[in-house]
């Protein structure tokens, strides 16, 4: 009698299984070329064969969103706003050419060009659709009236978004569409109410250094033209007009979130309550800074932002619960598609979760991905494929093209691409179940699940590393360890308990579920603090330019989407991107956009900061970009900095001085002694020092200076001629040299300050 059929590698354990998952070299598509006298002709032939295979039927679709995204990236790199009709006509023409070339060998290239043109046009249309005024200068004591559209409960203060219906300012006639205002904690009015108040308004925050994240662009696409804070009391009055359906809907959802938060607060407090609320409603600003930092240091920060993981858990729990309940009815199991019914229920649950969490762009992206997977189940298609990922990416980029430049989009799709590639190229073999005893099957099941979680965490962590290094200047060496320890508890206990709590709220039986959810959150906090305290838990990376990030993205795409050995060309591209990023020079001088902070690299190789005012955000971002672990309040930042009422001065590594001049009568002295002056005053044309003044900062924003011989090479946030809707060019534009060179002069004979004493 023939024995049972065993899966390949069943006697060799995980090693045997992995050997079958990753076939030998000769079994790869086309195989590797043999080494010999005919190696190069053979290699060229195999390259052509691999290229033909990659261009085969069904291989084009996953590359369409890549080209579409490249067009969007090209749009955001423009120095002025493209013409809307020109972009639309160009996209239509390229699409027409691609259709006419559908039988031509260059059809794939034509499709990619057309997709890029469409991405460029879609981004242009979206900007024109959301266009609104943006504040260019600070305004003090502005009278505002309008509807409260959103409210965030934060740890130290609250924040509201006000849809402005009336705006009065003695110095400016501009009327903004929306503003975001900070208010004293506990004083934020309800969503949907009509209020009158006075506020101080500031322009949207520009990048704090060249290459940094553009908050002004982010706020523009949210429809917000200024930020600031409330001055005095907030008066709620009867609105002069109806609020509209959108505001009424927002008020209902805000009331639902507040009710859920109140129910959670009845059982949980502190960070337990804050994290539980963040997981269910998306409000994560109440988490204490130490826990928030530990979450990101340990690699668990993704748990706090409602993303694809949360959507997958919600949809997965509902899908399997509904399917299990329907399977208890024999008649339904035999004659009805209960799997599809369960997918419909999971889609409804995911949609409700989207609305409950505020429907932010990142959450919308997660919902679209989940919806595509569930729809694939409904129409009997494979759910986890590159086509599914491509369709989800296209939906997100068409609906919100600005998401492409957001770190959450980049990290989410990079991780998803890596996971889909893992599933496509070998993970199914880990689920092979041999015909053996129950104990052996249980042991193998545990090994498979552990191996799957380990591989998934490792692949997702590696795929998101370039983006974490670029945007946050740090990596998480122990991210896999933290995810292995915490994510099973979050998936099995925290999120299901939260869902059960939501279902039990109408019946008053939710208290037990919130307590159960709190137990799991306690474990997650304990894990994140333990991992964050390990030696070397924070991998700090100096800032690098956008070029290495684009190259790294290309490498990840090649590894993920190609199926022949050509995919390993992506590893070469990744290595080149890493080398490029590692050789990026550090700046010698950083100047804030308002001129109130200047950082100079001293002889010790670290930054020394001159600053006025209490704002530490710029300093914190500069230190992070410099891979410096010091805090903005560290006294070592002011080592070597000498300040008085006239200004500050600090020495560079070569001994020359940089001065931040506050008073006009000090400029003449600084012109004689300093190599560079940063001032809001007008410096005389005869000044021997290089000068950075207010007109330059207003036009170019924050500056980064690198020493070049006796002068400085200047890299501004905004290059000359830049005029975008989120940062319109000022009326008094001028031309500025990209090189600052102080005038030649004799050697300064002034003795050091410690030796400036009179001796007999």
């Amino acid at each position: 009698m023939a024995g049972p059929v065993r899966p390949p590698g069943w006697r060799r354990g995980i090693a045997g299984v992995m050997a079958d998952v990753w076939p030998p070299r000769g079994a790869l598509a086309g195989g590797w070329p043999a080494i010999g006298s005919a190696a190069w002709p053979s290699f060229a032939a195999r390259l052509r064969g691999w290229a033909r295979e990659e261009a085969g039927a069904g291989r084009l679709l996953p590359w369409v969103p890549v080209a579409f995204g490249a067009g969007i990236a090209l749009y955001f790199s423009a120095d002025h706003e493209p013409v809307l009709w020109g972009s639309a006509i160009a996209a239509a023409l390229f699409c027409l050419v691609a259709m006419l070339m559908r039988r031509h060998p260059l059809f794939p290239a034509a499709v990619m060009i057309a997709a890029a043109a469409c991405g460029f046009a879609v981004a242009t249309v979206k900007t024109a659709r959301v266009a609104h005024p943006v504040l260019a200068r600070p305004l003090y004591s502005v009278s505002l009236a309008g509807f409260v559209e959103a409210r965030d409960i934060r740890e130290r203060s609250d924040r509201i978004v006000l849809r402005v219906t009336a705006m009065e300012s003695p110095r400016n006639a501009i009327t903004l569409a929306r503003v975001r205002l900070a208010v004293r904690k506990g004083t934020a009015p309800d969503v949907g109410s009509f209020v009158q108040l006075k506020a101080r308004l500031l322009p949207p925050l520009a990048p704090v250094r060249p290459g940094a994240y553009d908050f002004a662009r982010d706020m523009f696409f949210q429809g917000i033209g200024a930020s600031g804070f409330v001055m005095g009391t907030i008066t709620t009055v009867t609105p002069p007009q109806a609020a509209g359906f959108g505001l009424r809907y927002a008020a209902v959802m805000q009331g639902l979130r507040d009710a859920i938060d109140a129910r959670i607060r009845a059982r949980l407090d502190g960070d337990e309550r804050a994290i539980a609320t963040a997981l269910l409603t998306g409000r994560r600003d109440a988490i204490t800074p130490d826990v928030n930092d530990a979450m990101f240091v340990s690699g668990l920060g993704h748990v706090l932002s409602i993303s694809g993981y949360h959507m997958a858990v919600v949809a997965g729990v509902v899908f399997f619960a509904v399917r299990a309940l329907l399977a208890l009815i024999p008649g339904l199991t035999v004659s009805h598609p209960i799997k599809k019914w369960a997918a419909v229920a999971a889609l409804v649950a995911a949609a409700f979760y989207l609305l409950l969490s505020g429907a932010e762009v990142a959450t919308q992206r997660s919902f679209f991905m989940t919806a595509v997977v569930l729809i694939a189940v409904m129409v009997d298609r494979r759910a986890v494929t590159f086509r599914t990922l491509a369709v989800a990416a296209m939906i997100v980029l068409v609906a919100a093209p600005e998401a492409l430049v957001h770190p959450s989009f980049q990290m989410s799709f990079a991780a998803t691409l890596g996971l889909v590639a893992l599933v496509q190229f070998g993970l199914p073999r880990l689920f092979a179940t041999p015909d053996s005893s129950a104990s052996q099957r249980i042991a193998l099941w545990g090994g498979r699940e552990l191996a799957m979680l380990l591989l998934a965490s490792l692949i997702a962590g590696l795929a998101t590393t370039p983006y974490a290094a670029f945007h946050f200047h740090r990596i998480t060496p122990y991210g896999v360890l933290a995810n292995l320890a915490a994510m099973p508890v979050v998936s099995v206990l925290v999120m299901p308990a939260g869902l059960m709590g939501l279902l039990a709220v109408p019946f008053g039986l939710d208290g037990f579920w919130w307590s159960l959810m709190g137990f799991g959150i306690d474990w997650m906090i304990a894990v994140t603090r333990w991992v964050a305290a390990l030696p070397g838990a924070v991998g700090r990376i100096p800032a690098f330019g956008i070029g290495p990030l684009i190259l790294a993205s290309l490498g990840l795409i090649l590894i993920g989407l190609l199926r022949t050995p050509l995919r390993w060309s992506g590893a070469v591209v990744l290595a080149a991107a890493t080398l490029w990023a590692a050789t990026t020079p550090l700046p010698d001088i950083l100047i804030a956009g308002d001129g109130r902070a200047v950082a100079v690299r001293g002889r010790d190789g670290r930054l020394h900061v001159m600053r006025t005012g209490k704002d530490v955000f710029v300093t914190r971002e500069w230190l992070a970009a410099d891979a410096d672990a010091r805090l903005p309040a560290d006294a070592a930042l002011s080592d070597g900095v000498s300040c008085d009422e006239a200004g500050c001065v600090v020495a560079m590594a070569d001994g020359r001085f940089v001065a931040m001049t506050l008073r006009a009568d000090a400029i003449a002295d600084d012109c004689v002694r300093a190599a560079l002056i940063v001032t809001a005053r007008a410096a005389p044309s005869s000044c021997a020092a290089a000068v950075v003044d207010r007109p330059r900062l207003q036009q170019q924003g924050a500056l980064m200076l690198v020493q070049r011989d006796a002068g400085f090479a200047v890299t501004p946030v905004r290059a000359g001629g830049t005029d975008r809707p989120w940062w319109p060019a000022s009326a008094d534009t001028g031309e500025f040299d990209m090189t600052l060179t102080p005038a030649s002069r004799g050697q300064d004979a002034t003795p050091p300050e410690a030796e400036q004493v009179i001796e007999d």
Side-chain angles (χ1 to χ4, degrees):
M1 183 176 184
V5 178
R6 307 290 188 180
W10 72 277
R11 290 189 181 276
R12 292 169 284 154
I14 293 296
V17 174
M18 295 307 296
D20 293 315
V21 171
W22 305 107
R25 292 183 178 181
L28 291 172
W32 293 100
I35 303 299
S37 59
W40 288 112
S42 174
F43 182 68
R46 289 178 184 271
L47 281 179
R48 289 193 296 269
W50 292 337
R52 286 193 297 269
E53 186 175 347
E54 294 293 352
R59 299 291 183 89
L60 190 61
L61 179 60
W63 290 95
V64 172
V66 176
F68 192 87
I72 296 175
L74 186 63
Y75 164 81
F76 283 111
S77 67
D79 56 5
H80 65 275
E81 190 62 20
V83 179
L84 177 60
W85 60 266
S87 302
I89 291 177
L93 289 177
F94 279 117
C95 289
L96 178 61
V97 170
M99 291 179 59
L100 296 177
M101 294 179 62
R102 61 184 179 275
R103 299 186 184 280
H104 195 276
L106 295 180
F107 173 68
V111 171
M112 295 299 104
I113 295 174
C118 289
F120 191 94
V122 166
T124 307
V125 171
K126 177 63 180 291
T127 301
R129 186 170 64 84
V130 302
H132 58 86
V134 175
L135 187 65
R137 297 286 187 273
L139 294 179
Y140 304 89
S141 188
V142 182
S143 297
L144 298 172
F147 292 96
V148 178
E149 284 193 338
R151 181 185 66 186
D152 291 332
I153 307 299
R154 311 174 73 191
E155 182 192 6
R156 298 179 180 176
S157 63
D158 297 338
R159 193 165 61 187
I160 62 173
V161 174
L162 187 70
R163 183 201 292 177
V164 179
T165 59
M167 177 176 174
E168 296 181 4
S169 173
R171 298 177 53 190
N172 202 313
I174 188 174
T175 299
L176 302 174
R178 288 178 177 84
V179 296
R180 188 172 63 191
L181 302 172
V183 301
R184 185 186 296 274
K185 189 169 182 61
T187 62
D190 295 331
V191 173
S193 58
F194 187 85
V195 298
Q196 295 176 344
L197 51 87
K198 285 187 177 295
R200 178 181 178 181
L201 298 181
L202 301 172
L205 182 63
V208 298
R209 57 170 184 81
Y213 188 73
D214 194 343
F215 297 96
R217 180 185 58 207
D218 197 14
M219 292 180 63
F220 174 82
F221 283 100
Q222 295 178 36
I224 299 174
S227 61
F229 56 88
V230 172
M231 302 172 61
T233 60
I234 301 175
T235 305
T236 303
V237 297
T238 302
Q241 59 192 32
F245 173 78
L247 275 175
R248 292 196 298 271
Y249 159 77
V252 171
M253 296 308 299
Q254 185 65 45
L256 182 58
R257 296 187 199 103
D258 291 341
I260 293 172
D261 184 62
R263 295 300 305 165
I264 295 175
R265 191 184 299 113
R267 287 299 183 102
L268 305 177
D269 55 11
D271 287 311
E272 290 181 4
R273 179 190 68 83
I275 293 177
T277 300
L279 294 177
L280 297 178
T281 67
R283 300 195 323 199
R284 54 185 180 272
D285 292 324
I287 303 172
T288 56
D290 60 330
V291 171
N292 189 71
D293 292 342
M295 293 286 290
F296 283 95
V297 168
S298 64
L300 290 174
H302 64 91
V303 178
L304 301 179
S305 177
I306 294 179
S307 58
Y309 164 76
H310 302 79
M311 280 289 176
V313 171
V314 170
V317 169
V318 174
F319 177 84
F320 289 110
V322 172
R323 190 178 183 185
L325 291 175
L326 294 177
L328 296 176
I329 306 175
L332 293 179
T333 305
V334 175
S335 58
H336 294 82
I338 61 173
K339 181 179 179 180
K340 298 181 180 181
W341 292 0
V344 172
L347 183 60
V348 172
F352 175 75
Y353 190 38
L354 170 72
L355 300 178
L356 179 64
S357 61
E360 296 180 353
V361 174
T363 314
Q364 293 178 28
R365 180 195 65 248
S366 306
F367 171 75
F368 291 143
M369 182 67 188
T370 305
V372 170
V373 171
L374 292 173
I375 292 173
V377 173
M378 297 177 198
V379 297
D380 297 320
R381 296 281 185 174
R382 291 183 61 188
V384 183
T385 65
F386 289 115
R387 290 175 177 245
T388 303
L389 180 63
V391 171
M394 285 298 298
I395 293 174
V396 173
L397 292 177
V398 170
E402 70 277 7
L404 179 76
V405 294
H406 199 278
S408 66
F409 175 90
Q410 297 167 5
M411 297 179 73
S412 176
F413 270 95
T416 307
L417 175 63
L419 294 176
V420 173
L422 180 64
V423 170
Q424 294 287 308
F425 297 147
L427 194 59
R429 296 293 187 90
L430 293 177
F431 289 90
T433 304
D435 184 10
S436 56
S437 65
S439 60
Q440 290 176 329
R441 287 198 300 268
I442 293 174
L444 183 58
W445 179 87
R448 288 200 315 270
E449 298 303 314
L450 182 61
M452 183 183 67
L453 183 58
L454 178 63
L455 284 173
S457 299
L458 182 62
I459 294 297
L462 291 175
T464 57
T465 293
Y467 307 98
F470 178 80
H471 292 287
F472 309 115
H473 318 297
R474 60 188 179 190
I475 57 177
T476 55
Y478 304 126
V480 174
L481 176 62
N483 280 274
L484 283 176
M487 295 313 295
V489 176
V490 176
S491 302
V492 177
L493 180 62
V494 175
M495 289 301 296
L499 293 178
M500 292 302 299
L502 291 177
L503 294 175
V505 165
F507 308 101
L509 303 175
D510 54 314
F512 167 76
W513 300 108
W514 302 135
S515 299
L516 192 61
M517 191 178 186
F519 291 145
I521 293 175
D522 283 338
W523 170 257
M524 183 175 65
I525 294 176
V527 168
T528 195
R529 283 177 168 164
W530 169 63
V531 173
L534 292 175
V538 182
R540 302 186 184 276
I541 306 295
F544 52 87
I546 190 66
L549 183 69
I550 294 175
L551 199 61
S553 301
L554 176 61
L556 291 174
I557 291 171
L558 291 175
I559 293 176
L561 293 186
L562 297 183
R563 302 185 187 181
T564 66
L566 287 176
R567 79 167 70 98
W568 302 119
S569 63
V572 178
V573 176
L574 278 175
T578 303
L579 181 62
W580 187 0
T583 55
T584 302
L586 294 175
D588 294 305
I589 300 173
L590 292 165
I591 303 174
D594 57 4
R596 295 185 177 183
V598 180
V600 179
R601 196 171 303 280
R603 289 188 177 92
D604 58 357
R606 301 200 300 176
L607 295 177
H608 301 267
V609 182
M610 301 179 290
R611 58 187 175 187
T612 61
K614 300 180 180 179
D615 188 7
V616 299
F617 176 75
V618 172
T619 305
R620 183 171 64 247
E621 293 298 310
W622 284 351
L623 293 174
D626 208 55
D628 195 328
R630 291 178 296 175
L631 299 176
D634 196 320
L637 291 174
S638 59
D639 288 348
V641 178
S642 178
C643 293
D644 57 22
E645 65 277 2
C648 297
V649 64
V650 66
M652 295 185 292
D654 60 3
R656 294 184 297 167
F657 289 100
V658 176
M660 185 172 66
T661 309
L662 303 178
R663 284 173 36 176
D665 56 1
I667 293 180
D669 184 55
D670 290 337
C671 283
V672 174
R673 301 187 59 189
L676 175 69
I677 296 176
V678 180
T679 180
R681 307 285 181 174
S685 58
S686 59
C687 184
V691 178
V692 173
D693 54 6
R694 180 180 292 273
R696 181 168 196 145
L697 293 174
Q698 287 180 343
Q699 181 172 329
Q700 295 188 332
L703 303 176
M704 182 176 70
L705 278 60
V706 177
Q707 291 193 51
R708 291 288 185 268
D709 298 327
F712 305 94
V714 181
T715 303
V717 164
R718 180 168 64 175
T722 301
D723 184 13
R724 302 308 299 266
W726 49 89
W727 196 358
S730 57
D732 51 347
T733 57
E735 295 293 333
F736 298 96
D737 293 334
M738 292 296 99
T739 301
L740 292 173
T741 305
S744 59
R745 50 190 157 186
Q747 184 177 3
D748 186 8
T750 306
E753 185 176 356
E755 299 180 13
Q756 293 177 8
V757 295
I758 300 176
E759 298 180 354
D760 295 335

